[in-house]
Amino acid sequence: MNLLKAITKACDDLKAQDIQILDMTGISPLIDYMVICSGRTDRQVNAIVNKVKEEVYKNGYNVKHIEGANRNLWVLIDCFDVICHVFQPDERIKYSLERIWGEVPRIDVQKVLESE
């Protein structure tokens, strides 16, 4: 299972809302993909973050850094080639990463989840 699928599946397994995958290849020299999702409460955000960490390690990858886990409003999980942003809904609207990166191609979440 590749890193992108492991992160996306972890988010999906815990019912993260509105999962978006941005294809950053050729756009950012630092990452290949950005996963953005929402949890309804700080507890759900925390659970999603913990599940992402668990799946990343379980599949033989590493987490470089986690930022924002002390408040669970917006948590960034840096997994080297993939960055995962887990927001509470109001924070997601406030920072609107999808709008900032509006021209970046999106990847179909279902295709990632169904890939081998």
Side-chain angles (χ1 to χ4, degrees):
M1 179 182 291
N2 68 31
L3 179 59
L4 178 61
K5 182 175 180 178
I7 291 171
T8 304
K9 184 174 180 337
C11 294
D12 185 64
D13 284 351
L14 287 179
K15 308 294 186 227
Q17 297 178 317
D18 193 21
I19 302 169
Q20 300 284 316
I21 303 171
L22 284 62
D23 185 350
M24 304 297 289
T25 55
I27 296 168
S28 170
L30 302 176
I31 61 171
D32 293 332
Y33 302 100
M34 185 183 304
V35 177
I36 304 170
C37 68
S38 299
R40 289 177 292 283
T41 65
D42 62 330
R43 290 181 70 180
Q44 186 182 19
V45 168
N46 185 57
I48 293 167
V49 170
N50 287 334
K51 181 71 171 176
V52 167
K53 288 189 318 190
E54 177 186 316
E55 289 299 315
V56 166
Y57 289 126
K58 187 169 96 176
N59 286 282
Y61 298 99
N62 291 307
V63 173
K64 181 178 179 183
H65 182 70
I66 296 177
E67 185 68 40
N70 57 331
R71 295 186 60 215
N72 290 323
L73 295 173
W74 172 10
V75 181
L76 180 147
I77 310 163
D78 183 346
C79 300
F80 295 92
D81 294 334
V82 181
I83 289 184
C84 180
H85 299 274
V86 185
F87 287 96
Q88 284 193 40
D90 289 343
E91 292 295 297
R92 187 168 181 175
I93 292 167
K94 179 178 174 181
Y95 291 101
S96 190
L97 294 183
E98 292 98 322
R99 186 177 48 79
I100 292 170
W101 294 102
E103 300 298 317
V104 175
R106 302 310 199 253
I107 295 175
D108 186 293
V109 171
Q110 283 310 117
K111 287 184 180 175
V112 170
L113 292 173
E114 294 167 359
S115 67
E116 294 282 327

